[in-house]
Amino acid sequence: KALLLVGFAGGFRRSELVGLNVSDIDFVRQGMTITIRKSKTDQLGEGRKIGIPFARGRHCPVKSLEQWIEGLPAPIGALFRPTTRHGRIAGQRLSGEAVSLVVKERVVMIGLAGSEYSGHSLRAGLATSAAMHGVSTIAIRQQTGHQSDAMLARYIRSGELFTNNAAGKLL
């Protein structure tokens, strides 16, 4: 749950998610900050901080991550780790491929076609959902780390076709 909610709320790449350490998380009054130490577009490792606020209800990424960390056998090192079918948390880092498998498995559980989703769906889903709710491209880019509006436009899926739709204003 924490993996999916944090991945979506942060607009993270799979590699960014699995690269996180427990020490990269700071819980603050407004929610949490996550430090991305290195990413695809930051090969020099300058890093960037992402803010994720508290959410109402049971789908709060901050509360879910707090619970995940509390359940870790040792709250140091890799943040996201594999679990056994018996619920035991392993010590090694989760792989990027495992993120994709978790996403696919969970979308199938809610009746969607797993073949249409991947680990990248968390990132694209945030960008699309934010655009549909009228969030500015600069605010979306600050969250996702996209370098330009042109690159971000590739992520905003067809849901935006119905935002401020001319026909929708008339019908």
Side-chain angles (χ1 to χ4, degrees), residues 12-20 36 38-39 48 123:
F12 294 129
R13 294 176 177 89
R14 292 180 308 170
S15 60
E16 293 169 343
L17 270 174
V18 300
L20 290 172
I36 302 295
K38 190 174 180 181
S39 70
R48 65 185 174 97
R123 183 170 171 78

Side-chain angles (χ1 to χ4, degrees), residues 87-139:
R88 288 184 38 144
I89 300 172
Q92 73 266 25
R93 192 171 297 279
L94 194 66
S95 70
E97 180 62 26
V99 174
S100 286
L101 294 173
V102 169
V103 170
K104 288 175 182 293
E105 177 183 290
R106 297 302 173 183
V107 298
V108 167
M109 289 175 72
I110 61 170
L112 299 174
S115 61
E116 295 180 21
Y117 294 88
S118 69
H120 206 67
S121 298
L122 301 172
R123 183 170 171 78
L126 173 78
T128 301
S129 297
M132 288 174 66
H133 283 87
V135 177
S136 70
T137 57
I138 191 149

Side-chain angles (χ1 to χ4, degrees), residues 4 10 14 21-22 28 42 64 72 79 98 119 131-132 144 148 163:
L4 297 174
R14 292 180 308 170
N21 290 319
V22 175
V28 295
D42 179 20
S64 292
L72 291 175
L79 178 63
M132 288 174 66
T144 62
S148 68
T163 304

Side-chain angles (χ1 to χ4, degrees), residues 137 141 145-154:
T137 57
R141 285 176 42 210
H146 282 98
Q147 300 296 312
S148 68
D149 282 350
M151 284 305 294
L152 178 62
R154 294 175 162 188

